[in-house]
Amino acid sequence: MAIVVAVAGAGDVVESGLRSILEGAPDLEVLDEFPHFRVIADVVVYDVIGAEIDDGAQLFGFIDAQLSAVVVVGRPLRPDLAARAMAHGAATHVSLEADEDQILSVIREAASQEPGFQEPSTWPQPLGADAGLSPREVDLLGRVVKGYSNLEIAEQMSLSPNTIKSYIRSAYRKIGVTTRSQAVAWCLQRGFEPAQDSSPPVEGRAVS
């Protein structure tokens, strides 16, 4: 039985690209219009930049309804938007930079879960201990999640920017991520406190 998928969000060229990927998968059925009054999607693939248009009203509505698993497609330059969605209860997150196989794999996995389901956190205190994170790395990642830039973190922690980059490289390696948006999603799924506003963190290379 085909997995019914809907695409929502910004409605721009990214949505067209996502549709092209999904329509090429034989086990997926992509809705032409959404919301559809007769059909409930198994998975809603939401381009997170759409949350800027209505301050997340549509996205949070999909999540709160718990009728479909919501897969958030994060924009590399706006990890804060994906972070808000994950904190609100989106099923999972995939980067816009992910390849076709990764995107399809995430959607299939989300379809196998109950709508609104999130893997429960099993990470004991202190936060991040099972990943081998040091207290300083946990502190640093907490500031990354809150949207601070490397320079701001360096000033707050009274360390040099190069030292901050070294800590970030070490922390990313331990938690198995390579980008800031992936790090934010990883942290939010494990109980880090999210940012209190929607100010975008500075996105850069893998150690940014």
mmCIF file of all heavy atoms in Angstrom, residues 176-195:
data_model
loop_
_atom_site.group_PDB
_atom_site.id
_atom_site.type_symbol
_atom_site.label_atom_id
_atom_site.label_comp_id
_atom_site.label_asym_id
_atom_site.label_seq_id
_atom_site.Cartn_x
_atom_site.Cartn_y
_atom_site.Cartn_z
ATOM 1 N N GLY A 176 28.080 12.985 15.974
ATOM 2 C CA GLY A 176 27.887 12.459 14.630
ATOM 3 C C GLY A 176 27.195 13.386 13.661
ATOM 4 O O GLY A 176 26.413 12.940 12.808
ATOM 5 N N VAL A 177 27.467 14.693 13.767
ATOM 6 C CA VAL A 177 26.882 15.652 12.828
ATOM 7 C C VAL A 177 27.992 16.459 12.176
ATOM 8 O O VAL A 177 29.141 16.446 12.650
ATOM 9 C CB VAL A 177 25.885 16.605 13.530
ATOM 10 C CG1 VAL A 177 24.799 15.811 14.243
ATOM 11 C CG2 VAL A 177 26.597 17.530 14.522
ATOM 12 N N THR A 178 27.643 17.166 11.120
ATOM 13 C CA THR A 178 28.651 17.970 10.419
ATOM 14 C C THR A 178 28.224 19.420 10.207
ATOM 15 O O THR A 178 29.033 20.232 9.776
ATOM 16 C CB THR A 178 28.975 17.360 9.036
ATOM 17 O OG1 THR A 178 27.770 17.272 8.273
ATOM 18 C CG2 THR A 178 29.593 15.968 9.187
ATOM 19 N N THR A 179 26.974 19.738 10.470
ATOM 20 C CA THR A 179 26.501 21.108 10.256
ATOM 21 C C THR A 179 25.805 21.635 11.507
ATOM 22 O O THR A 179 25.373 20.874 12.370
ATOM 23 C CB THR A 179 25.516 21.201 9.084
ATOM 24 O OG1 THR A 179 24.308 20.532 9.429
ATOM 25 C CG2 THR A 179 26.110 20.602 7.821
ATOM 26 N N ARG A 180 25.667 22.934 11.557
ATOM 27 C CA ARG A 180 25.019 23.587 12.701
ATOM 28 C C ARG A 180 23.550 23.175 12.827
ATOM 29 O O ARG A 180 23.054 22.918 13.918
ATOM 30 C CB ARG A 180 25.125 25.111 12.553
ATOM 31 C CG ARG A 180 25.018 25.885 13.859
ATOM 32 C CD ARG A 180 25.246 27.368 13.611
ATOM 33 N NE ARG A 180 25.483 28.123 14.825
ATOM 34 C CZ ARG A 180 26.666 28.307 15.400
ATOM 35 N NH1 ARG A 180 27.738 27.741 14.856
ATOM 36 N NH2 ARG A 180 26.788 29.025 16.499
ATOM 37 N N SER A 181 22.840 23.103 11.697
ATOM 38 C CA SER A 181 21.428 22.727 11.746
ATOM 39 C C SER A 181 21.255 21.298 12.263
ATOM 40 O O SER A 181 20.327 21.016 13.024
ATOM 41 C CB SER A 181 20.783 22.873 10.369
ATOM 42 O OG SER A 181 21.444 22.093 9.411
ATOM 43 N N GLN A 182 22.140 20.385 11.873
ATOM 44 C CA GLN A 182 22.073 19.019 12.377
ATOM 45 C C GLN A 182 22.337 18.981 13.877
ATOM 46 O O GLN A 182 21.689 18.232 14.614
ATOM 47 C CB GLN A 182 23.090 18.141 11.645
ATOM 48 C CG GLN A 182 22.758 17.870 10.193
ATOM 49 C CD GLN A 182 23.896 17.173 9.453
ATOM 50 O OE1 GLN A 182 25.008 17.045 9.968
ATOM 51 N NE2 GLN A 182 23.618 16.733 8.233
ATOM 52 N N ALA A 183 23.294 19.797 14.330
ATOM 53 C CA ALA A 183 23.607 19.851 15.753
ATOM 54 C C ALA A 183 22.416 20.361 16.556
ATOM 55 O O ALA A 183 22.093 19.823 17.626
ATOM 56 C CB ALA A 183 24.831 20.742 15.988
ATOM 57 N N VAL A 184 21.750 21.394 16.043
ATOM 58 C CA VAL A 184 20.580 21.941 16.732
ATOM 59 C C VAL A 184 19.484 20.889 16.845
ATOM 60 O O VAL A 184 18.888 20.695 17.911
ATOM 61 C CB VAL A 184 20.059 23.196 15.998
ATOM 62 C CG1 VAL A 184 18.693 23.615 16.541
ATOM 63 C CG2 VAL A 184 21.047 24.346 16.141
ATOM 64 N N ALA A 185 19.213 20.184 15.753
ATOM 65 C CA ALA A 185 18.176 19.149 15.775
ATOM 66 C C ALA A 185 18.543 18.036 16.755
ATOM 67 O O ALA A 185 17.692 17.555 17.517
ATOM 68 C CB ALA A 185 17.980 18.579 14.372
ATOM 69 N N TRP A 186 19.810 17.618 16.749
ATOM 70 C CA TRP A 186 20.272 16.570 17.669
ATOM 71 C C TRP A 186 20.056 17.000 19.109
ATOM 72 O O TRP A 186 19.546 16.229 19.943
ATOM 73 C CB TRP A 186 21.764 16.289 17.411
ATOM 74 C CG TRP A 186 22.333 15.152 18.197
ATOM 75 C CD1 TRP A 186 22.482 13.852 17.786
ATOM 76 C CD2 TRP A 186 22.857 15.198 19.530
ATOM 77 N NE1 TRP A 186 23.053 13.106 18.777
ATOM 78 C CE2 TRP A 186 23.298 13.896 19.861
ATOM 79 C CE3 TRP A 186 22.998 16.208 20.475
ATOM 80 C CZ2 TRP A 186 23.865 13.584 21.094
ATOM 81 C CZ3 TRP A 186 23.561 15.905 21.721
ATOM 82 C CH2 TRP A 186 23.982 14.610 22.018
ATOM 83 N N CYS A 187 20.416 18.213 19.421
ATOM 84 C CA CYS A 187 20.310 18.710 20.800
ATOM 85 C C CYS A 187 18.848 18.805 21.251
ATOM 86 O O CYS A 187 18.508 18.416 22.375
ATOM 87 C CB CYS A 187 20.979 20.077 20.920
ATOM 88 S SG CYS A 187 22.783 20.045 20.776
ATOM 89 N N LEU A 188 17.990 19.313 20.379
ATOM 90 C CA LEU A 188 16.585 19.471 20.754
ATOM 91 C C LEU A 188 15.907 18.128 20.993
ATOM 92 O O LEU A 188 15.034 18.004 21.862
ATOM 93 C CB LEU A 188 15.841 20.257 19.679
ATOM 94 C CG LEU A 188 16.179 21.745 19.624
ATOM 95 C CD1 LEU A 188 15.538 22.387 18.406
ATOM 96 C CD2 LEU A 188 15.723 22.464 20.886
ATOM 97 N N GLN A 189 16.305 17.120 20.239
ATOM 98 C CA GLN A 189 15.734 15.795 20.419
ATOM 99 C C GLN A 189 16.168 15.160 21.730
ATOM 100 O O GLN A 189 15.568 14.183 22.177
ATOM 101 C CB GLN A 189 16.128 14.886 19.247
ATOM 102 C CG GLN A 189 15.439 15.254 17.940
ATOM 103 C CD GLN A 189 15.945 14.424 16.773
ATOM 104 O OE1 GLN A 189 17.103 14.002 16.748
ATOM 105 N NE2 GLN A 189 15.089 14.191 15.802
ATOM 106 N N ARG A 190 17.188 15.741 22.366
ATOM 107 C CA ARG A 190 17.726 15.154 23.587
ATOM 108 C C ARG A 190 17.604 16.076 24.800
ATOM 109 O O ARG A 190 18.326 15.912 25.771
ATOM 110 C CB ARG A 190 19.179 14.741 23.345
ATOM 111 C CG ARG A 190 19.250 13.507 22.436
ATOM 112 C CD ARG A 190 20.601 13.350 21.789
ATOM 113 N NE ARG A 190 20.632 12.127 20.999
ATOM 114 C CZ ARG A 190 20.133 12.008 19.769
ATOM 115 N NH1 ARG A 190 19.586 13.052 19.187
ATOM 116 N NH2 ARG A 190 20.197 10.861 19.131
ATOM 117 N N GLY A 191 16.702 17.020 24.700
ATOM 118 C CA GLY A 191 16.351 17.776 25.889
ATOM 119 C C GLY A 191 17.041 19.093 26.105
ATOM 120 O O GLY A 191 16.847 19.718 27.152
ATOM 121 N N PHE A 192 17.861 19.555 25.153
ATOM 122 C CA PHE A 192 18.458 20.884 25.300
ATOM 123 C C PHE A 192 17.360 21.931 25.232
ATOM 124 O O PHE A 192 16.384 21.782 24.504
ATOM 125 C CB PHE A 192 19.490 21.142 24.201
ATOM 126 C CG PHE A 192 20.824 20.495 24.437
ATOM 127 C CD1 PHE A 192 20.974 19.119 24.367
ATOM 128 C CD2 PHE A 192 21.952 21.267 24.704
ATOM 129 C CE1 PHE A 192 22.203 18.522 24.576
ATOM 130 C CE2 PHE A 192 23.188 20.678 24.903
ATOM 131 C CZ PHE A 192 23.313 19.300 24.847
ATOM 132 N N GLU A 193 17.515 23.003 25.972
ATOM 133 C CA GLU A 193 16.515 24.059 25.992
ATOM 134 C C GLU A 193 16.559 24.839 24.681
ATOM 135 O O GLU A 193 17.617 25.329 24.280
ATOM 136 C CB GLU A 193 16.772 25.004 27.162
ATOM 137 C CG GLU A 193 15.733 26.101 27.303
ATOM 138 C CD GLU A 193 16.036 27.019 28.473
ATOM 139 O OE1 GLU A 193 16.963 26.718 29.253
ATOM 140 O OE2 GLU A 193 15.344 28.040 28.593
ATOM 141 N N PRO A 194 15.402 24.976 23.989
ATOM 142 C CA PRO A 194 15.393 25.698 22.710
ATOM 143 C C PRO A 194 15.499 27.198 22.909
ATOM 144 O O PRO A 194 15.304 27.719 24.014
ATOM 145 C CB PRO A 194 14.035 25.326 22.115
ATOM 146 C CG PRO A 194 13.174 25.073 23.299
ATOM 147 C CD PRO A 194 14.074 24.446 24.333
ATOM 148 N N ALA A 195 15.795 27.898 21.822
ATOM 149 C CA ALA A 195 15.828 29.358 21.853
ATOM 150 C C ALA A 195 14.435 29.894 22.147
ATOM 151 O O ALA A 195 13.429 29.294 21.784
ATOM 152 C CB ALA A 195 16.329 29.902 20.518
#
